[in-house]
Every structure is written in C-alpha cells, then in structure tokens.
Amino acid sequence: MSPLPFKPEGVFFDLDGTLLDSAHELYAALLELCEEQGIAPPPYERVRPVVSRGSRAIIGAGFPGIAPDDLLKLVPRYLELYEACMASHTVVFDGVEPLLAALDAAGIRWGIVTNKPGFLTDALLPRAVPHWKPAAVVSGDTLPVKKPDPAPVLHACALAGCDPTRSVYVGDDRRDVLAGHAAGLFTVAVRWGYLDGGDPDAWGADAVLDHADELAVLLGVGEVAA
C-alpha cells in the first residue's frame, strides 16, 4: 500500500460501520420494538448489513412487508428505544483508535459525516468516545440534504478548514463513495463495515481497504507491516 500522492489536510469518516460498531444496540432496540408489537424478531445476521441505511431499513428488516405509512409510525418509538440503550455495546472498530491518534499527532484534521440524526450523534459521541476531538461533525439533519448528496461532506471540509481536493472521505456504504466523489475528495471504501449487502469493489472508490492499519499507511501516518 503506497501513501497518497499528497499529504491530506483532512480525513472525514462515516460513523456507524466505519468508526463505530453500533449494530448490537440498534438490533437490541429492534428486538424491543418487535416484542412490543407482538412480532417474532429477525436474526441479527439479517439486520446488521442494513444498519448503515438507518432506522427505516432496520425496522423494515424486522417487519417485512409492512406498509410504508405504518413503518414511519414506528420510527419515533424505535429511536426512543435505541436512545435508551445507545452506547451500551458500541465498540470502536479495530485499529481506529491508533489511526485517529496518529492523525492528531501528524496535525491532520479529521471529522465525521453521518446520516444519523443530530440528536443521536450528539448523544452517542460523548457516551461512547468522550476523548475524541473531531474538527467537524455533520449529521443527517445538519443540512437540508444528506449523503449521497456531496453538500454534507463539503460542509465538513469547510468547518474543518480543509481543501476538499486534498482531503479523504472514508465509509462503508456506496452512498459514502458517491458523496465523497461528488465533493471532490479521495474516497476510501472499507470492508470492515456493514456494506448494505453490497460489494465495495464495485462502488468506484479510489481505494478499498480491509483494516484501519491499511488506512493509516495510505494516509502516511502508519507503517507497512513486515
């Protein structure tokens, strides 16, 4: 793995499925919702791949065939259940902590661009990773549009004071690659995330990586394994 042809000014990440593995409590909230509604819960393996698509996709996995209007009625209750258990089982993906520490040490600004609603993002980060100091946090409702629209990524670059053409966007969903490309950033798809059942090699990312250690090497803040 060769480093980028430029030293990045900024590195921006999707949150769930890229930096944090929050699938277990998102699934736990769905189990509670299914119990309340008298529905047999789906297996975890059916739910995990769709986590990056948000609450509607998660509920849909538990209530197959539900009418769209009925699904929407369940969203507020699902979010209440998730907020109550949020961060109880969230873990940082392997290699992410040393990667972020290396970016800080190198003076490279990093931030988060997520489609998660702001009230959940703002609650999750201090509970799960209170020591993180991102230069920008853009949630799904920060702007009128969200990924795959490039505007949230460009907004994060502006908040962090970074040139998009000298910045990197990292995510585990095709929408991340689309948003990053449209914003003019170098894009990285990661195989360690949820992937929405897709093939990251088919998304057109500039790089596709298996581990955060590989990302550190690409960004010039890590060492090539012997």
Side-chain angles (χ1 to χ4, degrees):
M1 176 70 64
S2 300
L4 292 170
F6 58 88
K7 178 181 178 180
E9 292 184 7
V11 183
F12 301 91
F13 300 88
D14 175 50
L15 185 58
D16 298 284
T18 301
L19 294 178
L20 298 180
D21 187 355
S22 53
H24 284 287
E25 58 253 37
L26 288 162
Y27 179 64
L30 179 62
L31 293 183
E32 290 192 56
L33 184 65
C34 288
E35 183 177 359
E36 289 181 357
Q37 297 294 317
I39 299 294
Y44 174 72
E45 292 74 20
R46 186 193 302 168
V47 178
R48 180 182 171 85
V50 305
V51 162
S52 289
R53 282 198 283 135
S55 59
R56 297 182 191 183
I58 294 169
I59 295 170
F63 296 78
I66 189 173
D69 288 347
D70 292 333
L71 187 152
L72 287 176
K73 292 175 183 176
L74 293 176
V75 170
R77 178 56 180 157
Y78 174 76
L79 293 179
E80 286 179 2
L81 293 169
Y82 169 57
E83 188 175 16
C85 68
M86 188 167 54
S88 58
H89 295 90
T90 294
V91 296
V92 181
F93 280 106
D94 188 45
V96 165
E97 289 285 13
L99 167 64
L100 298 182
L103 292 175
D104 287 335
I108 299 172
R109 287 155 282 181
W110 64 272
I112 294 166
V113 185
T114 175
N115 279 355
K116 201 180 196 79
F119 80 97
L120 293 176
T121 305
D122 294 343
L124 175 61
L125 291 175
R127 290 190 205 177
V129 283
H131 55 292
W132 285 7
K133 304 298 180 186
V137 177
V138 178
S139 296
D141 52 3
T142 301
L143 300 177
V145 294
K146 55 186 177 182
K147 300 177 295 183
D149 194 287
V153 178
L154 290 170
H155 186 55
C157 290
L159 290 174
C162 298
D163 179 352
T165 65
R166 299 187 66 82
S167 298
V168 179
Y169 189 66
V170 184
D172 71 309
D173 191 278
R174 183 172 179 268
R175 291 168 300 173
D176 297 319
V177 175
L178 291 173
H181 265 321
L185 282 72
F186 186 97
T187 58
V188 177
V190 298
R191 291 194 182 95
W192 65 75
Y194 306 133
L195 307 181
D196 195 18
D199 176 9
D201 289 298
W203 297 343
D206 296 301
V208 182
L209 304 179
D210 293 307
H211 194 276
D213 290 349
E214 294 178 331
L215 181 56
V217 172
L218 177 70
L219 297 173
V221 296
E223 297 181 358
V224 179

